[in-house]
Amino acid sequence: MDLMFGLAMVLGIGPALAMMYFIVRNYTYPRVEQPFFSDATFFLLFFVGLVAGSVLFFAMRVMGFASNIIYMVLMSVVQVLAMVVIMNLKRFRGKSDSVFYGYALGLGMSSGMSMGISYSMTVLLGDMALDASIVLLVVIVVSMTLILGACGTNVGEGIARHRVMEFALQALLLLVAYNLLLTGLMQAGGEGGIMPYVCAVVILVLSVFYFYRIMMVKLPGVVRDVLKMNGIKRDDIPKAR
């Protein structure tokens, strides 16, 4: 169990750091002379998200959210509202860098939650082979990193465009679908069989699709549009995939 606790800590923050580097490296020094966001604010929002994610996991654990579909829907609402409340400050409204700060917030939140969930899943997957348990744990934390990172970016776009609820609802719909599938995975995990793997494949496909659409396809255009709103034109915005 001590080994799995250490593994849960590594899995909790490792994917978030990897996705952080993979995406933001193209928008900061040395890839561009003038970074598109402040590193200090970015990591501050990541830390805030880490604390918020840990608190949300504790609430989910205490109230048994993972075993109740209605509670998991409510958890999705709370997750998105937490992002909106944190991001909906005057300093972030209408600013292109808010998209990146939303991403940092989502990554931090995923780290806080996935560390706790990874550790808890060792109990539910206790009767399965260790190798199989690790595979499912990796799928959970990677998919959570992708989905919450993309949701945070979606919320950040709404803040940047002054259309908060429109984009928050977009994030909420995807997050509800993800959390319901995660509930199915966690419930099926203790029973063994093929269902945990079916749920794992579905949540991974969903999270990869959403992340790719938001972070690889839309992000450059969003940054360009918000800069244009502010009367700023830049020629060094990375191209969409």
Side-chain angles (χ1 to χ4, degrees):
M1 189 63 69
D2 291 339
L3 173 63
M4 296 306 290
F5 179 76
L7 179 61
M9 292 186 65
V10 173
L11 287 174
I13 197 168
L17 294 177
M19 289 300 100
M20 182 187 300
Y21 172 76
F22 178 67
I23 294 297
V24 304
R25 62 177 178 168
N26 293 322
Y27 295 88
T28 190
Y29 187 84
R31 291 291 179 92
V32 293
E33 289 295 329
Q34 183 181 356
F36 287 84
F37 60 90
S38 164
D39 289 344
T41 305
F42 186 92
F43 284 103
L44 174 62
L45 266 295
F46 177 80
F47 177 75
V48 171
L50 182 64
V51 173
S54 300
V55 172
L56 288 174
F57 168 75
F58 179 76
M60 183 179 72
R61 182 70 174 173
V62 170
M63 302 184 71
F65 279 12
S67 62
N68 189 301
I69 292 177
I70 295 177
Y71 281 170
M72 286 303 282
V73 172
L74 291 176
M75 173 59 73
S76 303
V77 174
V78 171
Q79 286 174 307
V80 173
L81 284 180
M83 293 179 182
V84 171
V85 169
I86 294 170
M87 289 294 302
N88 196 26
L89 299 175
K90 186 176 180 180
R91 63 180 297 187
F92 296 132
R93 296 174 195 164
K95 305 292 182 61
S96 62
D97 51 359
S98 297
V99 182
F100 299 99
Y101 301 146
Y103 182 53
L105 181 63
L107 291 180
M109 190 175 292
S110 73
S111 295
M113 295 197 69
S114 60
M115 280 191 290
I117 289 176
S118 296
Y119 182 72
S120 297
M121 285 293 289
T122 61
V123 176
L124 294 176
L125 301 174
D127 295 332
M128 301 177 64
L130 179 61
D131 290 345
S133 300
I134 292 176
V135 169
L136 290 178
L137 288 174
V138 170
V139 169
I140 289 171
V141 298
V142 169
S143 64
M144 184 169 291
T145 300
L146 296 175
I147 203 79
L148 286 177
C151 284
T153 307
N154 226 163
V155 171
E157 180 180 355
I159 299 294
R161 293 184 184 273
H162 296 291
R163 292 151 57 187
V164 180
M165 295 313 299
E166 174 186 343
F167 287 90
L169 287 174
Q170 292 179 19
L172 178 61
L173 290 176
L174 270 296
L175 193 55
V176 166
Y178 173 84
N179 280 336
L180 291 179
L181 289 167
L182 181 62
T183 301
L185 172 58
M186 296 178 75
Q187 291 179 346
E191 301 174 3
I194 194 174
M195 283 308 298
Y197 302 100
V198 173
C199 292
V201 170
V202 175
I203 66 172
L204 187 59
V205 169
L206 175 65
S207 59
V208 168
F209 169 78
Y210 184 41
F211 185 87
Y212 180 82
R213 178 176 178 272
I214 296 298
M215 305 306 303
M216 309 301 292
V217 177
K218 290 188 61 181
L219 181 59
V222 172
V223 173
R224 184 177 293 106
D225 289 348
V226 179
L227 286 174
K228 186 177 180 179
M229 286 169 47
N230 295 324
I232 302 172
K233 182 179 179 180
R234 293 186 60 166
D235 298 324
D236 56 350
I237 299 175
K239 296 181 180 179
R241 297 292 177 88

